[in-house]
Amino acid sequence: MLFRIVSLTSALVWLMAAALPQTGPIPERKPAQTPPVPMEKPPTPLDKSAVPAGKPDIPAPTPATGEIQGPPRPSPTIALESDEEHQACLKELSAIGAIFKEIPRIDDGNGCGIDKPITLTSPLPEIELKPEGKMRCETALALAQWMNGSVIPSTAALENGKIVTINQASTYICRLRNNASTGKISEHARGNAIDVASFTFENGNTIGIEPRREDPTLTGAFQRAASASACLYFTTVLDPASDAAHETHFHLDVLERNGGFRYCH
């Protein structure tokens, strides 16, 4: 009996072993998947309603600078002069013996011009300005006072006689400083300046303005005295020692600076 049970058990194990496969089933591979490519968002059209009516679209940056070009800057305007101060100046200029005439307002644009210009022919009796020059009354008065108070008294030691002519190189002219192509506007363009090139005396001699810082003669002393005393009357004095642009003349102007500052060289 026991033998039969063992035999049946062995047969059952053998049948089960015969029915099982040698290896288990292999799972199928999934096909390779390409990751999805996100679609670009279509550009949003310009909302024309966001632009105020009647105003142009904002201009694109320029290739050269990358900056948006704005409207051109307004040109500077010429300074207005007080009627009261101008009349007081004319009265004083007449009292010192100057010969001049008032002329129409000058406005050459870009800040060049004189609100109340005059043409000066003679700053003092028997002294001519050659050629006659256009300027503000304040400039003419400073020239007359400098000549009367300092230049004429310093000629006594020269033995040339009286000064009869002031030879000027520039009065009013529309230009930048030192005739440069860029930079600040010249005081000549505002009627504030005069360039004195030389003095002619009654004996015919002419003293030209030139580098004389080391000149030991009376002529050198006269020029240095004239240059130094000019700062008592003008707010800017540039002489031949200042730079190459002024080696042949005095530049004298009445530019008003803060605190009454004066520049004299």
Side-chain angles (χ1 to χ4, degrees), residues 17 69 239:
Q69 299 298 306
D239 66 13

Side-chain angles (χ1 to χ4, degrees), residues 24-264:
I26 299 174
E28 295 182 1
R29 293 184 179 181
K30 295 182 178 180
Q33 295 182 354
T34 303
V37 179
M39 295 182 63
E40 293 184 0
K41 184 179 180 180
T44 303
L46 178 64
D47 184 3
K48 295 294 184 179
S49 63
V51 180
K55 293 187 179 180
D57 294 339
I58 298 175
T62 60
T65 64
E67 297 177 353
I68 294 176
Q69 299 298 306
R73 296 181 179 180
S75 298
T77 57
I78 62 176
L80 298 179
E81 299 184 59
S82 162
D83 288 335
E84 182 178 351
E85 292 178 0
H86 179 65
Q87 291 302 319
C89 179
L90 294 179
K91 184 177 180 180
E92 193 169 357
L93 193 59
S94 296
I96 206 170
I99 299 174
F100 63 91
K101 62 181 178 181
E102 296 183 77
I103 57 176
R105 185 176 190 268
I106 300 172
D107 189 349
D108 291 329
N110 297 318
C112 295
I114 308 174
D115 186 35
K116 294 176 172 57
I118 66 169
T119 297
L120 181 67
T121 302
S122 174
L124 290 171
E126 301 180 354
I127 297 181
E128 290 185 89
L129 179 67
K130 288 188 177 180
E132 64 180 14
K134 298 174 182 178
M135 63 192 75
R136 291 180 59 229
C137 178
E138 185 180 352
T139 309
L141 183 59
L143 177 65
Q145 291 173 335
W146 172 57
M147 292 295 299
N148 190 53
S150 296
V151 178
I152 291 175
S154 68
T155 64
L158 296 177
E159 299 182 353
N160 286 326
K162 298 178 180 179
I163 292 177
V164 294
T165 305
I166 304 170
N167 301 294
Q168 59 95 355
S170 179
T171 53
Y172 171 76
I173 183 172
C174 184
R175 64 172 175 82
L176 301 182
R177 292 181 183 178
N178 298 329
N179 290 307
S181 57
T182 60
K184 294 182 178 181
I185 192 171
S186 170
E187 291 308 305
H188 287 281
R190 297 186 173 105
N192 286 334
I194 180 172
D195 290 345
V196 174
S198 64
F199 300 98
T200 299
F201 294 78
E202 62 181 348
N203 68 351
N205 289 342
T206 296
I207 294 180
I209 307 303
E210 58 185 66
R212 298 184 191 273
R213 182 59 60 91
E214 304 299 330
D215 186 345
T217 67
L218 284 175
T219 299
F222 163 73
Q223 179 176 304
R224 291 192 296 272
S227 175
S229 64
C231 211
L232 297 172
Y233 307 92
F234 296 91
T235 58
T236 305
V237 177
L238 301 175
D239 66 13
S242 63
D243 55 33
H246 299 90
E247 285 188 344
T248 59
H249 62 273
F250 291 146
H251 169 89
L252 312 170
D253 74 47
V254 293
L255 169 65
E256 185 175 349
R257 296 184 176 89
N258 293 333
F261 174 76
R262 296 179 178 229
Y263 183 85
C264 304

